Amino acid sequence: MSILTVTMNPSVDIAYQLSTFKLDDVNRVSNVNKSAGGKGLNVTRVLKEIDEDLTATGLVGGDLGNYIKSQLDQGAIHHDFYQIKGNTRNCIAILHEGLQTEILESGPTISDVEGEAFKNHFESLLKDAEVVSISGSTPSGLATDYYVELIMIANAKEVPVVLDTSGESLRQVLLSGHKPKVIKPNVDELSQLLGRELDKDLNLLKEALQDSLFNGVEWVIVSLGSEGAFAKHNDLYYKVDIPTIDIVNPVGSGDSTVAGIVSGITRNYDDVALLKHANVLGMLNAQEEITGHVNLNHYEALFNKIQVRGV
Ligand code: ADP
């Protein structure tokens, strides 16, 4: 049995390093980095780095879809994507003068036939899965309740789902009768969901998580960046306190946290161990330049500095 990660709208991410970025002029770039991107693929890479058994799935198409598969092959990561007619997208980040300018393609439009076919593909992959993680937004063409349907299929097979999405996709799931086991909003996503500004005030967070929108969701883990996390597990509430660390690049820390949650479930960790595992991985990602990468040499030292307290 293994973990199934789902990335419905992956990308080939390109990072251009420029000393200066000239608008309306030619910018020549020698420092180029290309990688397989998308939140689900970050989760996938971290799971591989912590030695979990997994299969990556989702939708890919065209040359860039092939590039993603070849990158996963290079990392010895098992994958089984569904091939679409459209072309997998590029996302470009231009790093200049300490700034980051991003150009994000919306990606291919998925046909109804492809959307239906993927559901069958997903269902067939569930037979070997003990946990599913679904990350990121749904591509255009698919209904905003597409994740509701994937969760319904997984729940029917009693395979728990860890869902990390935002906006309408998340709202549709929470309003539906098909609940994931875990969601991991950050504080901005939680504020957007509830339509009110939340900060890191613990009383407000605790009250927010009592909203009926979360009924039936076993775990709500709100990540709080440098402040750790706030979590609800059924009727228990926890604050995760983390030490101050020097960070290099926090992009992908939430995905790394999701990898920790998924892995903690497969390892049957208790609440405290699961929350520590998830936060250490988020922190380790923030200490690296590469998104969706952790250096496990520092795992134990950080793990021992994290406190989980009931609130
Ligand atoms: P997201 O990427 O989804 O916005 P967060 O920024 O909350 O998620 O990060 C997820 C986790 O990674 C946090 O709960 C924390 O454990 C760790 N983390 C992120 N940023 C920092 C930081 N600046 N310092 C220490 N830990 C961090």
Side-chain angles (χ1 to χ4, degrees):
M1 296 299 266
S2 71
I3 295 164
L4 183 64
T5 64
V6 179
T7 314
M8 295 303 283
N9 202 6
S11 55
V12 174
D13 291 349
I14 303 179
Y16 291 138
Q17 298 264 6
L18 292 172
S19 48
T20 53
F21 182 40
K22 293 168 283 183
L23 279 175
D24 198 25
D25 203 345
V26 174
N27 292 273
R28 291 186 196 283
V29 55
S30 53
N31 193 340
V32 181
N33 177 37
K34 292 188 190 171
S35 60
K39 288 164 68 66
L41 291 179
N42 295 336
V43 175
T44 301
R45 275 197 298 272
V46 173
L47 284 172
K48 178 69 184 178
E49 288 184 343
I50 60 172
D51 223 14
E52 294 290 358
D53 202 8
L54 71 98
T55 298
T57 190
L59 304 175
V60 290
D63 289 344
L64 296 184
N66 290 337
Y67 178 81
I68 287 182
K69 290 194 281 186
S70 73
Q71 288 287 100
L72 293 172
D73 286 338
Q74 261 183 37
I77 294 173
H78 185 251
H79 58 84
D80 195 343
F81 280 82
Y82 182 80
Q83 198 75 25
I84 53 166
K85 287 212 184 71
N87 293 313
T88 293
R89 64 191 171 141
N90 272 133
C91 289
I92 299 171
I94 305 165
L95 306 158
H96 56 103
E97 296 121 345
L99 303 171
Q100 179 158 338
T101 301
E102 297 193 16
I103 298 169
L104 307 181
E105 295 180 20
S106 56
T109 299
I110 311 306
S111 70
D112 290 348
V113 172
E114 289 170 332
E116 285 304 310
F118 180 75
K119 280 193 245 165
N120 293 332
H121 182 69
F122 174 73
E123 185 163 15
S124 71
L125 292 172
L126 285 175
K127 69 176 187 312
D128 298 319
E130 62 186 306
V131 186
V132 175
S133 100
I134 302 176
S135 303
S137 54
T138 43
S140 63
L142 295 181
T144 49
D145 67 352
Y146 192 77
Y147 286 159
V148 175
E149 301 192 44
L150 294 188
I151 293 167
M152 184 179 78
I153 295 167
N155 285 353
K157 298 227 175 290
E158 295 181 7
V159 184
V161 174
V162 178
L163 177 70
D164 184 16
T165 189
S166 56
E168 204 43 37
S169 291
L170 178 58
R171 185 188 311 279
Q172 293 275 346
V173 167
L174 297 176
L175 291 174
S176 79
H178 305 286
K179 310 288 187 181
K181 181 184 173 86
V182 187
I183 58 171
K184 192 224 67 69
N186 62 28
V187 85
D188 294 335
E189 290 160 348
L190 185 68
S191 302
Q192 191 199 13
L193 190 66
L194 296 175
R196 62 190 139 106
E197 209 47 49
L198 289 160
D199 55 19
K200 294 163 184 177
D201 182 294
L202 298 190
N203 291 325
L204 287 181
L205 283 171
K206 188 169 177 179
E207 194 193 313
L209 296 194
Q210 286 164 24
D211 194 289
S212 60
L213 206 51
F214 303 114
N215 289 354
V217 180
E218 188 180 319
W219 274 104
V220 182
I221 302 178
V222 183
S223 64
L224 303 171
S226 61
E227 308 273 315
F230 188 86
K232 171 183 184 296
H233 187 198
N234 294 320
D235 297 329
L236 298 173
Y237 293 81
Y238 301 99
K239 172 68 185 39
V240 184
D241 294 324
I242 62 173
T244 303
I245 52 166
D246 291 330
I247 63 158
V248 178
N249 175 13
V251 176
S253 283
D255 303 329
S256 204
T257 297
V258 169
I261 295 167
V262 175
S263 143
I265 292 170
T266 60
R267 297 181 190 184
N268 280 320
Y269 281 176
D270 65 22
D271 291 6
V272 170
L274 181 142
L275 290 169
K276 286 188 180 181
H277 187 50
N279 275 265
V280 177
L281 292 173
M283 294 169 78
L284 289 174
N285 176 80
Q287 292 185 306
E288 300 295 321
E289 181 90 48
I290 300 171
T291 300
H293 166 61
V294 291
N295 177 349
L296 295 172
N297 292 336
H298 307 133
Y299 182 99
E300 207 168 313
L302 281 183
F303 189 96
N304 292 332
K305 286 190 192 146
I306 296 178
Q307 302 278 348
V308 177
R309 55 189 164 100
V311 287

